[in-house]
């Protein structure tokens, strides 16, 4: 498993993002709020984390929902996965949405999302007149026969 160093500023009273288990890909991050925030059904809100980071070039930070909150309470992230680019230096905010039929209250310091640091590549487009064919071809949703 590769390790990289990432510079981070934590302006919250909560700990740095942490892996909950040795093999976890995502690190839990906390809501940096001073008062509880209640989201009604289908309401969304930008929740600050108090985290700012300096990712190395060629890396991004993906923000993903926490599966337990999604399953038990219908809490998700509007733009999932959210992307934090290597040149962004502001507070990382999480756009939470309540997809359930019941209100949900986010408490100060609650673990609200997870972040995964990923390497990426830039594409050089090669305009052509034809691309290779495949068995699937141009079949779209449900075309592979598995439902």
């Amino acid at each position: 498993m590769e390790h990289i160093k990432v510079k981070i500023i934590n302006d919250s009273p909560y700990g740095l993002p942490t892996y909950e288990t040795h093999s976890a890909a995502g690190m839990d991050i906390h809501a940096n709020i001073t008062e509880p925030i209640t989201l009604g059904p289908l309401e969304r809100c930008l929740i600050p984390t108090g985290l700012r980071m300096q990712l190395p070039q060629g890396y991004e930070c993906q923000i993903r929902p926490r599966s337990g909150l999604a399953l038990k309470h219908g809490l998700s992230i509007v733009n999932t996965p959210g992307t934090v680019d290597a040149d962004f230096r502001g507070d990382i905010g999480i756009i939470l949405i309540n997809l359930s039929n019941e209100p949900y209250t986010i408490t100060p310091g609650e673990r609200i999302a997870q972040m995964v640091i990923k390497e990426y590549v830039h594409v050089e487009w090669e305009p052509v007149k034809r691309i290779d064919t495949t068995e699937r071809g141009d079949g779209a949703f449900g075309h592979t026969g598995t439902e």
Side-chain angles (χ1 to χ4, degrees):
M1 180 179 330
E2 181 181 347
H3 292 260
I4 63 167
K5 289 205 181 270
V6 175
K7 294 179 181 179
I8 189 166
I9 295 173
N10 184 359
D11 290 327
S12 83
Y14 310 107
L16 291 173
T18 57
Y19 297 103
E20 292 298 314
T21 66
H22 175 72
S23 296
M27 296 172 272
D28 289 343
I29 51 180
H30 302 270
N32 185 29
I33 54 178
T34 56
E35 299 290 327
I37 296 174
T38 299
L39 290 177
L42 297 180
E43 282 188 320
R44 63 186 179 271
C45 183
L46 179 65
I47 307 293
T49 65
L51 301 173
R52 296 181 289 141
M53 68 174 77
Q54 180 179 327
L55 291 167
Q57 288 298 313
Y59 287 85
E60 66 160 328
C61 170
Q62 295 178 358
I63 304 296
R64 302 177 182 179
R66 292 193 63 233
S67 56
L69 288 177
L71 176 63
K72 295 174 188 170
H73 304 288
L75 207 62
S76 191
I77 297 173
V78 176
N79 61 326
T80 188
T83 297
V84 180
D85 293 310
D87 58 353
F88 179 70
R89 296 295 186 265
D91 184 271
I92 296 171
I94 312 298
I95 308 169
L96 289 181
I97 186 166
N98 180 356
L99 297 174
S100 77
N101 294 323
E102 302 292 327
Y104 182 81
T105 300
I106 302 153
T107 57
E110 182 174 352
R111 295 179 299 151
I112 56 167
Q114 58 181 329
M115 67 168 50
V116 175
I117 308 298
K118 296 291 294 175
E119 195 170 12
Y120 65 87
V121 297
H122 275 180
V123 170
E124 287 186 30
W125 294 111
E126 181 182 349
V128 297
K129 297 289 185 197
R130 190 179 68 211
I131 57 177
D132 295 343
T133 60
T134 66
E135 184 177 328
R136 180 176 182 174
D138 61 0
F141 303 104
H143 182 76
T144 59
T146 57
E147 298 184 41

